[in-house]
Amino acid sequence: SQTIHQWPATLVQPVGSPLSLECTVEGTSNPNLYWYRQAAGRGLQLLFYSVGIGQISSEVPQNLSASRPQDRQFILSSKKLLLSDSGFYLCAWSRGGFAFFGQGTRLTVV
Amino acid sequence: RKEVEQDPGPFNVPEGATVAFNCTYSNSASQSFFWYRQDCRKEPKLLMSVYSSGNEDGRFTAQLNRASQYISLLIRDSKLSDSATYLCVVTYGGSQGNLIFGKGTKLSVKP
C-alpha cells in the first residue's frame, strides 16, 4: 500500500532562519507530488508541484523553493523565513485524480 | 472567475438534518471530481469520488452536473462527527499537476 511521510509535525523557527521540510512517498512510482500551504481558517494554496524528478512548477512567487532529488522525495526549502511563511504545510501525492496527503507540518515563524 | 468555487459557509445545522453543498467549476474539460473532508488542524482526506450517474456511500450522496458544471454533496441524518470542512477537487489535463482544490465549505453540526 502507498504511504506518505512528512516531517516534522510542528516547527518553530525565527525570522531569517532557513527551512527544510521533507516528504517521501512509499509504494508507488513516478507520482505527481505537491506542496500546499494553508493559513489559519483559509483554503489550500498550491505552492509547487512536480510531475517527475527535477521537474518543479511554482504556482506562487515567494521566498520558498522546492526540489525533487529522487522519484519519491519532495523537499520544500527557504533560505530566510518571513513571518508570513507561518502556516500549515501539506505534502501530497496523486494518481488518477486521487490525492493523498501527509500529516502536515505546522510552521510558526517568530 | 475562480476555477473551483465553493460557499465557505459555515453551515450550522442540527443533528439529524440534511445538508447539501455545491461546488462549481469553470473548466468544461474537467475530467474527474472528488469530495475531500478536512478536520480542524488535520490533513484533507478523500471522502468520495463523484460520477455522472451519481453515487452514494451511506448517508453521503454525490452528484455531478456537467451541463451546469457543478458537483454536489448531500449529507443525510447529520452527525456531530460530520463537522468538518468539505473540499471539492476537480482534475483536468492542464497545469497545476491536474488537481484544483476548492477553498472548502465549513459544516458545523450542533446537538
Side-chain angles (χ1 to χ4, degrees), chain A residues 6-110:
Chain A
Q6 183 183 343
W7 65 92
T10 59
L11 193 58
V12 179
Q13 293 281 102
V15 169
S17 64
L19 174 73
S20 180
L21 301 180
E22 187 166 342
C23 172
T24 59
V25 180
E26 296 177 358
T28 187
S29 59
N30 197 30
N32 286 350
L33 296 173
Y34 307 80
W35 278 111
Y36 290 90
R37 177 171 61 201
Q38 189 173 37
R42 307 292 294 274
L44 292 171
Q45 179 188 34
L46 178 63
L47 301 176
F48 300 95
Y49 70 94
S50 170
V51 298
I53 295 175
Q55 300 179 59
I56 309 294
S57 296
S58 175
E59 290 297 309
V60 181
Q62 62 227 319
N63 68 322
L64 300 172
S65 62
S67 62
R68 185 170 178 174
Q70 301 180 45
D71 181 44
R72 290 170 288 180
Q73 184 185 29
F74 205 23
I75 298 172
L76 181 70
S77 304
S78 173
K79 292 182 179 179
K80 287 186 177 182
L81 285 169
L82 306 172
L83 287 174
S84 57
D85 291 325
S86 294
F88 188 40
Y89 288 81
L90 288 155
C91 177
W93 75 273
S94 78
R95 186 176 62 207
F98 294 91
F100 302 92
F101 288 83
Q103 292 185 339
T105 296
R106 196 159 301 280
L107 172 67
T108 303
V109 183
V110 296

Side-chain angles (χ1 to χ4, degrees), chain B residues 34-54:
Chain B
F34 305 87
W35 282 103
Y36 281 72
R37 169 189 170 132
Q38 185 176 23
D39 292 295
C40 186
R41 301 176 71 83
K42 297 288 189 180
E43 75 277 19
K45 294 184 178 178
L46 178 67
L47 179 65
M48 58 197 305
S49 306
V50 188
Y51 305 116
S52 296
S53 56

Side-chain angles (χ1 to χ4, degrees), chain B:
Chain B
R1 182 181 176 186
K2 296 179 182 175
E3 294 193 75
V4 178
E5 291 197 67
Q6 294 183 252
D7 181 342
F11 284 60
N12 297 309
V13 304
E15 267 188 296
T18 295
V19 61
F21 313 132
N22 279 347
C23 168
T24 60
Y25 59 94
S26 60
N27 192 325
S28 59
S30 299
Q31 297 170 340
S32 303
F33 309 86
F34 305 87
W35 282 103
Y36 281 72
R37 169 189 170 132
Q38 185 176 23
D39 292 295
C40 186
R41 301 176 71 83
K42 297 288 189 180
E43 75 277 19
K45 294 184 178 178
L46 178 67
L47 179 65
M48 58 197 305
S49 306
V50 188
Y51 305 116
S52 296
S53 56
N55 48 304
E56 188 174 311
D57 183 3
R59 298 180 292 107
F60 297 81
T61 301
Q63 294 277 358
L64 165 63
N65 186 316
R66 283 193 181 271
S68 300
Q69 295 185 201
Y70 75 87
I71 65 174
S72 64
L73 178 67
L74 180 78
I75 305 175
R76 292 181 298 278
D77 188 23
S78 299
K79 311 291 184 189
L80 295 176
S81 57
D82 294 333
S83 297
T85 296
Y86 291 84
L87 307 167
C88 73
V89 177
V90 173
T91 74
Y92 67 106
S95 64
Q96 301 198 23
N98 301 337
L99 284 178
I100 310 294
F101 277 83
K103 294 194 180 300
T105 297
K106 186 173 182 179
L107 171 66
S108 181
V109 181
K110 308 290 187 183

